Amino acid sequence: MTRSGAMAGAALGVILAFGALGGAIAADITPPDKAFAQPIGSDYFLADYTAYEAYLKTLAGQSDRMKLVDIGKTEEGRTQWMAVVSSPANLAKLDRLKEISRKLAKAEGVSKEEAEKLAAEGKAVVWIDAGLHATETITSQGQIQVLHRMLTAKDPETLRLLDDCVILFAHDNPDGMELVSDWYMRNQDPKTREFNSLPRLYQKYVGHDNNRDSFMSAMAETTNVNKQLFREWYPQIIFNQHQTGPNGMVVFVPPFRDPFNFNYDPLVMTQLQEVGMAMHSRLVAEDKPGSGARSAAPYSTWHNGMVRSVSYFHNAIGLLTEIIGGPTPTTVNLVPDLQLPNNDRPAPIAPRVWRLQDSLDYQMTMNLAVIDYAARNRERLLFNIWKMGDNSIKRGSSDSWTITPTRVETLAAAGKGKPGPYGAAIDPSLYKTVLQTPEARDPRGYVIPADQADMPTVVAFLNALIKTGVDVDKADKAFTIAGKTYPAGSYVVRTAQAYRPHVLDMFEPQDHPHDLEYPGGPPKAPYDVTGYTLAYQMGIKFDRILDGFEAPTSRVPDVIKVAPGAVKGSGSAGWLISHETNASFTLTNRLLKAGAKVQWVKDGAKAGSTDFGPGAIWVPASPAAKAVIEKGVKDLGIDAYAVGGKPSGATIALKPIRIGLVDVYGGSMPSGWNRWMFEQFEAPFQVVYPQRLDAGNIKKDFDVLVFPDGVVPAPQGGPFRAGRAGAQPKPEEIPAEYRAWLGRITDEKTLPKIAEFVKGGGSVVAIGASTRLATALGAPVEIANAKIENGQLKALSNRELYIPGSVLRAKVDPKQPLAYGAGEQVDVFFDRSPTFTIKSDAKGISRVSWFDTDKPLRSGWAVGQEKLKDSTTMLDIDLGKGKIFAFGPEITQRAQSWGTFKFLFNGLLYGPAVSGN
């Protein structure tokens, strides 16, 4: 049933919103049309989070089917609520049901017999969220309706669902719902309402990338959600709702297209297909055509960073739906090829006008289909999540192998057959001699030594694991494995745990299949990135332990606090500090803010037996420095060495800096990630928009400008990926406070002002595609991974070079100031990034990092990677009195690549220190 306008009355509104329930509606619970300014589902109306939150509290005070839980604060300080919905009898024993869910999910020490008993006693736990991507407004508005239905309906189906399930209705992005809804409703004329002109990202820092943060848990909201999913409630089904749907259809519903990740248990995929098809079947049965699966959209199950996909690595069924619609009426388009049904699109839909309530009706059906599946399969779901956890524990306790595309290619080559479903059969003995060689075994665990240089970053890595429910152990005393001794305080991550798939995915390289559009065709674009191994990105030193081992460890109970550092030595001349820790930049920023002097010792220094490499940090003694260092080393977990004399050799004296972080109207996600990083590391910055750059005299306000990936526009088809180029509103269409954010960086107006800034002694840090600035400003470099066609510089074709988000290893010159503290090799995140060739007659340019091999791939997928050999990835360029630092790889990728943060931090401090001299 659909609705074309405002509801005529409360009773009629409830019937239209919820359909025939087959039973009475509870009269003492406020319906949505009485709680909001207009009925939910009305055209041109969106409720905001303030009203939504008030309604949740009203419902919690009226219903015995709901418990309202505060799961944490958002980045803007709002409360993130979760409504726990079930029968009154179940709510009375929530602690017991939660404990059953935990025991079965973790599986540790639970026998098959006990699992069967627990499964019989427990209730299926289903997570259904809303609002993650705030401009996808249907999910939040629909949650209001489904909540009311579950709290009021008395029909047999609803009562059965409540008896057999605990449903966790959560909101992922309260800040975004408030922003988007209020922006949409700001205009009195409904026909002028829109949210395409939002001035900023709908999550404080990262916008849409809040659904790429699941394994990192950098954002507060992600941490709150992960705690409920993998440390509190352990749901068997996680339903993450999105829009918009495919053109000419209504909604994408699982199953997904290949490839799936090779680390997780296959049972999670077969169950996912069951739930997805149950959703399709209910839609079709209720005469709701237009759903599609698999080939209907590009969604796969490879990447670990999304709410529904991180679920697979935790043995839970992760669902994603993408539906059309919104508060402004639209249409279902007519696409001829979609009018023929097939297995992926069983019921085509005719073109028609589409309204918000139409989408909410579909959303209601899909919610009920998921809960109904969980109720009908309650015991099986509970037992199977134990089964998958038990499988993981067994695999982590014995020799096991993960078969990947590279190993299959090796097998085919060994047998002179062809990989794939149509390949020739080969000698079966090769299965063991090729696929199951001893050295190819999966690790029994990983040891992270406590004596590595950057332990605060190690702690950040471990906390990312812990926030996603991984068990981490810490050694109480020194121990030895395979002849190597590890100090007390080292960390151990065993793979004999339920979340083994997630552990492997964070430590081991992703081996993405060579996926083609058709045999012999070009690469088929992945859904998001292909390689993201977090241990590599963060520069963590660890050992893979292939055999069974013992270690004197105890379980880390919660997120880890960095162990306090100390001031060592008794000298009075000043302090030496290692450049190898990211936290040293926080300390440096504090020292400069306090007016203390800070220098980098170019050739390094020594303090007793401690050898500091190039760029050792030297802080001459002063009262201001002493106060900052004594407090800072404790807070940050780094050591300072008090020495009796200034180190010999040349130094670079640092200065207080003024950073301009470039952003654009509507918000750039890379810029947002950088903003979050700058706040974490206490860097002094302001956000700057194109109008300010165009005004010139930049040096008056800033010493260094940071251009994150994509904020500098680039021509289509060229070697630089085009930046954000969406339509901008007219100034008179938006509030005055946002008008200074409008504008674009242009070659004609902005580049001359940037050139003036640099040549006059300013510094520019350009990342990813924004390194176009280097060539545009006349740096003596050429783009290595490009070609000339018809006199135009063009990107190499996907058949020639295709690296759609992978981790590559690069060579580094650690004596270069940009590379201080980084070592001689580094893993970089590379996503169709530019690389460079320095012109033969170039002057005033230094090569900081480059690819020195024809096989730099560490994790992910790379077609034509050999073409990168000898090309340069990072450059230190003199231009007039200033500096340009060009970083081709995305050195701040989603705030995951801590191993390359140093290059950015060094550039921020180094450029202003030497420019203008």
Side-chain angles (χ1 to χ4, degrees):
M1 184 180 295
T2 63
R3 177 172 57 189
S4 61
M7 293 181 286
L12 176 59
V14 171
I15 292 171
L16 287 172
F18 306 128
L21 300 180
I25 298 295
D28 56 347
I29 292 179
T30 304
D33 63 312
K34 297 294 186 182
F36 298 92
Q38 291 179 239
I40 297 299
S42 299
D43 291 347
Y44 303 107
F45 174 72
L46 289 177
D48 66 12
Y49 190 77
T50 297
Y52 166 90
E53 180 180 42
Y55 188 53
L56 287 180
K57 293 178 179 178
T58 297
L59 294 177
Q62 295 175 337
S63 176
D64 61 357
R65 298 181 183 180
M66 171 179 159
K67 179 180 179 181
L68 191 59
V69 179
D70 174 352
I71 66 172
K73 297 298 181 184
T74 67
E75 290 290 355
E76 293 183 20
R78 291 181 177 83
T79 300
Q80 199 167 355
W81 294 105
M82 179 176 73
V84 182
V85 175
S86 194
S87 68
N90 288 340
L91 291 179
K93 56 180 180 180
L94 273 188
D95 288 344
R96 174 58 180 165
L97 295 178
K98 184 188 288 188
E99 176 63 11
I100 289 171
S101 188
R102 184 194 69 80
K103 280 189 169 182
L104 290 170
K106 297 296 282 185
E108 189 173 20
V110 177
S111 67
K112 180 181 178 183
E113 292 71 25
E114 184 182 1
E116 289 171 341
K117 291 178 182 178
L118 291 171
E121 180 186 354
K123 304 298 180 181
V125 180
V126 180
W127 167 279
I128 300 180
D129 62 19
L132 183 67
H133 291 157
T135 53
E136 300 170 8
T137 54
I138 289 164
T139 63
S140 294
Q141 307 301 303
Q143 191 178 80
I144 294 167
Q145 289 192 354
V146 74
L147 260 174
H148 182 258
R149 188 236 194 267
M150 295 304 295
L151 298 184
T152 56
K154 296 182 179 179
D155 60 287
E157 180 186 46
T158 300
L159 298 179
R160 174 175 58 83
L161 301 184
L162 293 168
D163 282 342
D164 287 334
C165 298
V166 175
I167 309 111
L168 310 176
F169 289 104
H171 202 286
D172 294 323
N173 186 9
D175 301 341
M177 182 179 180
E178 189 81 354
L179 172 69
V180 170
S181 297
D182 290 352
W183 188 265
Y184 182 82
M185 298 297 294
R186 78 189 189 281
N187 292 330
Q188 291 298 314
D189 180 1
K191 298 295 178 66
T192 65
R193 290 175 182 166
E194 50 76 36
F195 41 76
N196 295 324
S197 65
L198 281 171
R200 65 176 181 88
L201 298 170
Y202 53 65
Q203 192 275 351
K204 180 178 180 181
Y205 296 104
V206 302
H208 189 278
D209 265 1
N210 64 355
N211 198 31
R212 300 298 184 272
D213 186 43
S214 286
F215 66 71
M216 192 70 201
S217 289
M219 297 296 106
E221 297 90 339
T222 316
T223 298
N224 297 337
V225 168
N226 279 344
K227 185 173 183 180
Q228 298 306 312
L229 297 181
F230 309 126
R231 304 179 70 202
E232 288 282 339
W233 266 108
Y234 307 91
Q236 297 86 49
I237 297 178
I238 296 168
F239 186 8
N240 180 227
Q241 304 179 105
H242 290 264
Q243 66 180 99
T244 187
N247 185 30
M249 300 171 60
V250 174
V251 62
F252 175 86
V253 180
F256 302 96
R257 74 171 176 95
D258 286 330
F260 69 54
N261 193 292
F262 309 114
N263 284 321
Y264 44 69
D265 196 296
L267 185 54
V268 79
M269 283 294 101
T270 56
Q271 289 187 137
L272 184 153
Q273 295 184 63
E274 292 178 26
V275 188
M277 284 306 169
M279 296 165 76
H280 285 282
S281 292
R282 185 159 183 149
L283 286 168
V284 173
E286 293 185 6
D287 299 319
K288 293 184 172 79
S291 65
R294 282 180 291 253
S295 63
Y299 311 111
S300 70
T301 56
W302 180 263
H303 184 237
N304 195 332
M306 294 165 274
V307 173
R308 57 95 185 178
S309 62
V310 73
S311 310
Y312 313 136
F313 300 88
H314 294 75
N315 304 320
I317 301 166
L319 303 172
L320 165 87
T321 54
E322 297 271 356
I323 195 168
I324 66 169
T328 301
T330 183
T331 58
V332 178
N333 293 326
L334 177 61
V335 179
D337 288 349
L338 300 185
Q339 291 304 306
L340 287 175
N342 61 27
N343 280 323
D344 290 352
R345 300 185 301 273
I349 188 170
R352 50 164 290 190
V353 174
W354 194 263
R355 302 185 183 277
L356 176 57
Q357 188 56 51
D358 297 326
S359 297
L360 301 191
D361 292 341
Y362 272 60
Q363 201 77 42
M364 179 74 73
T365 295
M366 292 187 294
N367 276 257
L368 294 177
V370 172
I371 302 168
D372 180 56
Y373 175 89
R376 293 178 185 275
N377 294 275
R378 175 183 63 83
E379 286 193 45
R380 191 162 67 92
L381 280 172
L382 289 164
F383 180 80
N384 281 351
I385 203 168
W386 168 85
K387 171 67 174 173
M388 288 183 279
D390 187 61
N391 287 345
S392 288
I393 292 170
K394 288 175 178 175
R395 289 168 185 150
S397 304
S398 59
D399 287 346
S400 61
W401 290 262
T402 298
I403 298 176
T404 66
T406 298
R407 292 185 183 176
V408 171
E409 289 169 8
T410 302
L411 176 66
K416 297 182 180 179
K418 295 180 180 179
Y422 306 108
I426 60 175
D427 182 353
S429 68
L430 292 173
Y431 185 88
K432 284 194 171 294
T433 60
V434 175
L435 294 183
Q436 293 193 341
T437 59
E439 63 274 12
R441 287 172 292 165
D442 295 329
R444 303 285 187 94
Y446 304 89
V447 178
I448 301 174
D451 55 0
Q452 57 188 288
D454 192 356
M455 283 305 291
T457 293
V458 167
V459 168
F461 169 72
L462 292 169
N463 282 340
L465 298 182
I466 292 167
K467 288 178 182 179
T468 53
V470 170
D471 293 327
V472 174
D473 298 334
K474 186 176 182 180
D476 306 312
K477 57 185 179 181
F479 61 98
T480 301
I481 298 177
K484 182 173 179 177
T485 299
Y486 299 93
S490 296
Y491 291 94
V492 177
V493 183
R494 292 177 168 85
T495 56
Q497 57 176 297
Y499 294 163
R500 174 180 179 271
H502 190 78
V503 172
L504 293 177
D505 210 48
M506 295 295 97
F507 281 95
E508 298 293 310
Q510 283 78 47
D511 186 357
H512 193 279
H514 191 60
D515 196 16
L516 303 178
E517 292 285 356
Y518 50 86
K524 187 174 184 177
Y527 188 65
D528 210 75
V529 303
T530 63
Y532 48 85
T533 307
L534 189 57
Y536 292 178
Q537 288 198 74
M538 295 187 74
I540 306 302
K541 293 179 172 59
F542 63 91
D543 288 330
R544 304 167 75 250
I545 310 300
L546 299 185
D547 295 309
F549 65 95
E550 297 292 334
T553 62
S554 54
R555 182 66 44 83
V556 174
D558 205 340
V559 292
I560 304 165
K561 293 183 179 180
V562 176
V567 176
K568 299 181 177 181
S570 57
S572 59
W575 300 268
L576 280 169
I577 301 161
S578 171
H579 208 118
E580 293 180 276
T581 66
N582 284 320
S584 71
F585 294 95
T586 307
L587 185 60
T588 298
N589 289 329
R590 292 180 184 178
L591 287 163
L592 293 172
K593 183 178 180 181
K597 294 181 178 179
V598 185
Q599 300 173 22
W600 291 345
V601 185
K602 289 185 176 182
D603 294 328
K606 283 190 175 183
S609 60
T610 302
D611 191 0
F612 298 88
I617 301 168
W618 165 242
V619 184
S622 71
K626 182 178 180 182
V628 171
I629 286 176
E630 287 183 348
K631 182 179 185 300
V633 293
K634 294 177 183 178
D635 295 346
L636 301 172
I638 57 180
D639 295 331
Y641 293 78
V643 296
K646 177 183 177 180
S648 60
T651 61
I652 299 172
L654 304 184
K655 304 173 185 177
I657 55 173
R658 301 167 301 162
I659 302 167
L661 175 60
V662 180
D663 206 342
V664 293
Y665 186 90
S668 153
M669 288 182 286
S671 185
W673 281 115
N674 278 267
R675 180 158 45 95
W676 179 83
M677 285 172 49
F678 288 168
E679 291 180 10
Q680 304 307 304
F681 290 92
E682 301 178 27
F685 77 99
Q686 294 180 37
V687 176
V688 59
Y689 291 90
Q691 285 186 48
R692 172 64 191 91
L693 299 178
D694 289 348
N697 197 16
I698 298 169
K699 196 76 170 69
K700 178 174 73 71
D701 298 321
F702 302 106
D703 303 300
V704 56
L705 295 176
V706 178
F707 291 84
D709 179 58
V711 300
V712 177
Q716 292 285 345
F720 300 98
R721 285 184 294 133
R724 184 184 178 92
Q728 293 191 4
K730 297 176 181 178
E732 63 271 18
E733 295 174 343
I734 61 174
E737 62 190 289
Y738 301 117
R739 292 171 189 169
W741 299 5
L742 294 169
R744 303 187 191 284
I745 295 170
T746 63
D747 288 12
E748 297 76 21
K749 192 170 183 179
T750 317
L751 261 59
K753 301 300 183 182
I754 297 172
E756 176 186 80
F757 167 70
V758 178
K759 291 176 181 178
S763 296
V764 160
V765 173
I767 302 171
S770 290
T771 56
R772 175 173 174 265
L773 283 174
T775 57
L777 295 178
V781 297
E782 296 175 339
I783 307 303
N785 48 348
K787 60 186 176 183
I788 301 293
E789 281 187 359
N790 300 321
Q792 298 291 319
L793 190 64
K794 298 289 185 180
L796 297 177
S797 72
N798 287 354
R799 292 173 182 268
E800 295 172 286
L801 179 66
Y802 190 59
I803 305 177
S806 299
V807 180
L808 310 184
R809 175 152 285 185
K811 185 75 173 173
V812 176
D813 179 358
K815 294 182 180 180
Q816 293 288 334
L818 278 186
Y820 284 163
E824 294 186 352
Q825 287 186 316
V826 68
D827 290 328
V828 298
F829 185 84
F830 194 97
D831 187 2
R832 292 160 288 175
S833 306
T835 63
F836 305 91
T837 300
I838 301 173
K839 293 181 179 179
S840 58
D841 59 348
K843 295 180 180 179
I845 186 167
S846 299
R847 191 186 205 197
V848 178
S849 176
W850 61 96
F851 293 119
D852 63 339
T853 174
D854 59 0
K855 293 182 180 179
L857 179 66
R858 288 270 280 163
S859 179
W861 184 24
V863 175
Q865 60 176 309
E866 67 280 356
K867 293 180 175 60
L868 297 178
K869 186 178 180 183
D870 296 326
S871 66
T872 299
T873 64
M874 304 184 198
L875 290 163
D876 175 351
I877 305 166
D878 293 335
L879 186 65
K881 295 181 180 180
K883 289 277 192 184
I884 300 175
F885 304 125
F887 301 108
E890 295 179 39
I891 57 171
T892 59
Q893 161 69 3
R894 291 172 176 162
Q896 296 163 10
S897 52
W898 287 53
T900 51
F901 284 2
K902 294 181 184 71
F903 297 99
L904 171 62
F905 296 150
N906 284 336
L908 297 178
L909 295 166
Y910 168 56
V914 299
S915 294
N917 293 342

